[in-house]
Amino acid sequence: MSACSAADIGQVGSDVEKRFQEVFQRIEEGAVERERSRTLAFEPVKWLRETGFLKLRVPQEQGGAGLSIPETVSLLVSLAAADSNIPQIIRAHFAFVEEERQRVRKSDDPLSASWLERIAEGALFGAAMAELSASTSTETNLTRTDGGWSLNGRKYYSTGSLYADWIAVIAMDGDDRVRVAVPVNASGVTRIDDWDGFGQRLTGSGTTVFEDVPVQEWQIYHRNTGDDFPINRFLLAYYQTFHLATLAGIARAILRDTVDFVQPRSRTFGVPGKTSPRHDPLVQGIVGRLSSLAFASEALVGRVAQTLDRAAALREAGEDDEELSFQAELEAYHAQQVLLPLVLEAATSLFEVGGASATSEKLKLDRHWRNARVLASHNPAVQRARELGDWRLNGVQPGEVWRQGVIREREVNMILKQQTKSS
């Protein structure tokens, strides 16, 4: 393991760190073979359930560990260093917990507490939000029936749903945007393992189909009315921080695997006789650079995690968190601009220490670049850079252009509906 420890971002208690480091070690031991054979990570997810990892952020009064965001992010970096597929699998689950933490503090609605209690008992949530369509509109629909509701639609990027007990689904109820919790074994739910990305291949990010899935009122856990724009700066920053933590874990894994590759070797290209690459100044320089990249990556994630934690405290106390959540969002986007090229550089530079032997399929060192590149593509950095520039130059906040576009789309749809009625 690298000099960057799990305690660098948030001070995790030694007993907690030890408990999870043991399961992280088991996960790491099978990571290359899972990658080579594309064996889905059902066993590692089971281990995380058993150790209580899924309830790190569930409050203690609901049966969870009640860790802070920096403590949780620190453990996520360690998990990503073991296998960078795994944090992606549980990303929507942890975001669901954050939403429910806020709701259970802000209202006396017993449903919020019940979701958290389910999670404390071991339930895992996946997500079905995005769709493959010509626009960003949601075509999945929730409609009234005699017995409740019916859900119909087709989702892609259903990350984690193959492993989950419940799926958090975004759908439309007329002009309202709703979030619905659907059990994976409900009638009409079909999960398809068709994610074909060249990286993050084990995340279960493929298609989920909903055909006349019965839904009861209590499963609708959030509703945005037609006039309520569905944007949450805290969650936007939180989701992005999950990616950043995974990337920081990849940087740590690159350093670890490079050191493990170099130390036992007895020769390097272009040097006569038997030599020790670990004493080669060129190799030492590369490893030193990788160590610095890993350190910087974790430091950036730690900064965002601290701000998110402060915003979360305000949210749960019922106080205005808008300013701090906006700060966290900006920090996440700034960190993305720097962290992505650092990790991608590390994923390429590691091959400089071993010549062609480092490209062996047995080692699967290419998984680090592939996984980092796919993570970098989920939330395009070029778009975030433009938004940051627009904010600095013109005071336009990130997401504002999208928000205005959604408002215009709604206005056009309303006019079209009125014209249809009048005709």
Side-chain angles (χ1 to χ4, degrees), residues 92-403:
H93 172 89
F94 274 76
F96 184 87
V97 170
E98 291 302 318
E99 289 186 88
E100 294 309 300
R101 279 180 65 106
Q102 180 190 16
R103 274 194 283 276
V104 78
R105 302 289 195 201
K106 289 178 64 176
S107 72
D108 57 2
D109 182 0
L111 289 181
S112 291
S114 68
W115 290 121
L116 292 173
E117 288 160 5
R118 280 188 176 91
I119 291 169
E121 293 169 359
L124 172 60
F125 276 74
M129 300 180 183
E131 301 179 6
L132 288 178
S133 62
S135 70
T136 56
S137 61
T138 299
E139 297 178 5
T140 298
N141 286 297
L142 188 69
T143 54
R144 280 279 189 185
T145 65
D146 292 338
W149 302 82
S150 180
L151 181 68
N152 285 275
R154 187 181 188 91
K155 298 287 190 176
Y156 196 57
Y157 303 119
S158 306
T159 305
S161 293
L162 286 179
Y163 303 90
D165 306 297
W166 293 81
I167 305 174
V169 187
I170 289 181
M172 299 302 296
D173 172 20
D175 292 330
D176 290 357
R177 184 181 174 94
V178 296
R179 293 180 182 241
V180 184
V182 178
V184 298
N185 57 1
S187 172
V189 175
T190 303
R191 295 172 291 168
I192 306 170
D193 182 21
D194 60 348
W195 165 243
D196 64 351
F198 60 66
Q200 295 295 94
R201 298 173 66 233
L202 311 180
T203 57
S205 298
T207 300
T208 306
V209 181
F210 303 93
E211 297 177 291
D212 297 323
V213 178
V215 173
Q216 299 302 311
E217 187 72 32
W218 60 269
Q219 294 173 241
I220 305 171
Y221 65 90
H222 189 66
R223 178 180 291 271
N224 286 102
T225 63
D227 296 329
D228 184 13
F229 183 71
I231 188 168
N232 186 316
R233 294 198 181 279
F234 177 87
L235 284 178
L236 285 172
Y238 189 83
Y239 270 118
Q240 184 60 51
T241 301
F242 234 83
H243 280 329
L244 297 177
T246 305
L247 287 158
I250 292 174
R252 187 192 293 181
I254 289 169
L255 175 60
R256 176 200 66 215
D257 289 354
T258 303
V259 170
D260 289 347
F261 177 81
V262 170
Q263 282 183 329
R265 290 177 63 78
S266 60
R267 109 182 155 80
T268 188
F269 179 79
V271 178
K274 186 175 181 179
T275 61
S276 177
R278 63 191 298 177
H279 299 302
D280 186 326
L282 296 177
V283 173
Q284 290 172 350
I286 292 169
V287 173
R289 174 67 176 171
L290 296 179
S291 181
S292 299
L293 296 176
F295 172 82
S297 298
E298 296 195 36
L300 286 167
V301 177
R303 166 67 181 267
V304 183
Q306 294 287 347
T307 304
L308 273 172
D309 201 51
R310 289 158 51 210
L314 289 179
R315 285 162 63 85
E316 292 169 20
E319 299 179 25
D320 184 7
D321 68 291
E322 185 65 24
E323 183 177 347
L324 263 180
S325 290
F326 179 51
Q327 180 182 335
E329 184 183 25
L330 289 176
E331 288 181 3
Y333 293 165
H334 281 106
Q336 181 192 38
Q337 298 302 311
V338 179
L339 193 149
L340 289 179
L342 293 186
V343 179
L344 291 171
E345 176 194 337
T348 300
S349 297
L350 74 89
F351 293 100
E352 301 296 339
V353 302
S357 56
T359 67
S360 170
E361 276 289 308
K362 293 180 181 179
L363 300 174
K364 275 292 178 186
L365 294 177
D366 63 303
R367 76 187 188 280
H368 297 312
W369 183 89
R370 289 187 291 100
N371 290 347
R373 183 60 263 176
V374 168
L375 284 168
S377 300
H378 279 313
N379 293 278
V382 291
Q383 172 62 23
R384 299 309 187 195
R386 187 209 63 76
E387 289 184 307
L388 290 172
D390 200 9
W391 170 63
R392 290 288 188 184
L393 292 169
N394 306 308
V396 178
Q397 294 186 355
E400 182 62 22
V401 173
W402 178 53
R403 189 179 76 86

Side-chain angles (χ1 to χ4, degrees), residues 1-9 17 21 77-78 81 248 251-252 255 290-299:
M1 181 171 291
S2 76
C4 298
S5 70
D8 289 336
I9 295 172
E17 184 177 351
Q21 286 302 329
V77 173
S78 295
R252 187 192 293 181
L255 175 60
L290 296 179
S291 181
S292 299
L293 296 176
F295 172 82
S297 298
E298 296 195 36

Side-chain angles (χ1 to χ4, degrees), residues 50-61:
E50 294 170 346
T51 56
F53 195 89
L54 300 181
K55 58 181 180 180
L56 291 180
R57 284 285 292 159
V58 174
Q60 291 181 349
E61 54 264 40

